[in-house]
Amino acid sequence: MVTFTEPGPIRAVLFDFHSTLVDQGDPVAWLDLAWTRAGRGSSALDDLGPERHGELASWVNRIWEHVREVDPHNERDLSPTRHRQVYDTLMESVDVIDDALAHALYECMLETWIPYVDTVPVLTELRRRGARIALVSNVGIDVRPVLEAGGLTDLFDAVVLSYEAGAVKPGAPIFERALDAVGVPAGNALMVGDSPHDDAGAALIGVRTLLLPRTSGERHGLDIVLGLVPEGSE
């Protein structure tokens, strides 16, 4: 049984990763990059035609929503092996994606993930205010290269990835692991994410939770977090 305490000032912020701090980028660019990596002689648009190309790009853009059809309990986020197995199973259901293209899409996937333009400024300001910051992500692969490439690595006090923690959101253990890592109780923390299913699990253990639905464009509206975290949060 969870014992709730009266909330106090927010001294730590836990952030989801995908569609919260980073965007997976332009689906057309991802598809075209994979098309080239798969050794296709022409472009995806030329080969597929405008209608099929647009449909496939739209599907790819929502790939991690589609994957729930074959993995509703986030098992893919508990190991790299399972992550690839679930991905491959999903791809087998898409006629236009053959094995070579599926492999290429997977291999270049992280190259298209980039931080929103407001990510670094907001994290930097939170650190200036003394807040502890943790990444809490359901992910079956190592996303640290994305953090490094985006200049985010040094802005986190803790990085808690589900496949390393052996626990997935919305379950309590992964959130508790993050709270322990930053040394802040649930009543003094804020969870920021995009999923009403996964990220809202933090509220079940007394963590105030802010949901920012997935957006299009280079900004995600993260400035709203700064209005919830006071100066001198340490």
Side-chain angles (χ1 to χ4, degrees):
M1 177 181 295
V2 177
T3 301
F4 294 101
T5 58
E6 183 176 349
I10 293 172
R11 297 191 287 110
V13 185
L14 316 180
F15 283 98
D16 174 52
F17 182 63
H18 188 268
S19 296
T20 297
L21 296 178
V22 303
D23 180 67
Q24 70 183 30
D26 178 13
V28 171
W30 181 21
L31 177 58
D32 289 347
L33 177 61
W35 201 264
T36 300
R37 295 280 179 88
R40 306 298 200 253
S42 54
S43 72
L45 179 59
D46 289 341
D47 280 0
L48 297 173
E51 183 175 353
R52 294 182 71 199
H53 180 263
E55 290 174 351
L56 183 56
S58 178
W59 187 90
V60 165
N61 190 42
R62 296 288 179 177
I63 187 171
W64 301 113
E65 296 172 27
H66 297 308
V67 82
R68 291 189 184 276
E69 300 166 12
V70 296
D71 181 34
H73 303 298
N74 296 335
E75 292 181 7
R76 67 191 178 281
D77 294 325
L78 289 172
S79 80
T81 298
R82 184 61 178 147
H83 191 272
R84 184 57 189 264
Q85 289 173 340
V86 168
Y87 171 87
D88 287 341
T89 298
L90 177 66
M91 288 304 189
E92 289 171 0
S93 69
V94 186
D95 292 339
V96 73
I97 300 179
D98 58 22
D99 289 346
L101 181 57
H103 178 75
L105 282 165
Y106 194 84
E107 290 299 306
C108 69
M109 173 174 59
L110 295 187
E111 296 177 39
T112 69
W113 290 11
I114 56 174
Y116 293 107
V117 297
D118 42 349
T119 295
V120 169
V122 167
L123 295 184
T124 300
E125 175 60 18
L126 288 173
R127 290 190 67 86
R128 188 195 69 78
R129 296 185 185 186
R132 305 280 287 173
I133 304 173
L135 184 70
V136 188
S137 177
N138 273 3
V139 65
I141 53 178
D142 190 1
V143 296
R144 290 181 180 86
V146 181
L147 301 182
E148 187 65 30
L152 304 180
T153 303
D154 293 338
L155 296 175
F156 292 103
D157 298 291
V159 173
V160 181
L161 307 181
S162 59
Y163 83 96
E164 294 176 335
V168 295
K169 299 180 287 186
I174 191 169
F175 297 112
E176 292 168 342
R177 177 84 164 264
L179 292 172
D180 288 343
V182 296
V184 172
N188 293 105
L190 172 70
M191 175 69 206
V192 181
D194 70 295
S195 172
H197 178 268
D198 295 339
D199 300 312
L204 297 177
I205 62 169
V207 177
R208 280 164 285 185
T209 303
L210 173 65
L211 296 180
L212 300 175
R214 182 178 175 182
T215 54
S216 60
E218 60 182 14
R219 300 189 68 86
H220 189 47
L222 291 167
D223 290 349
I224 193 173
V225 177
L226 299 179
L228 302 174
V229 180
E231 295 274 359
S233 298
E234 65 267 24

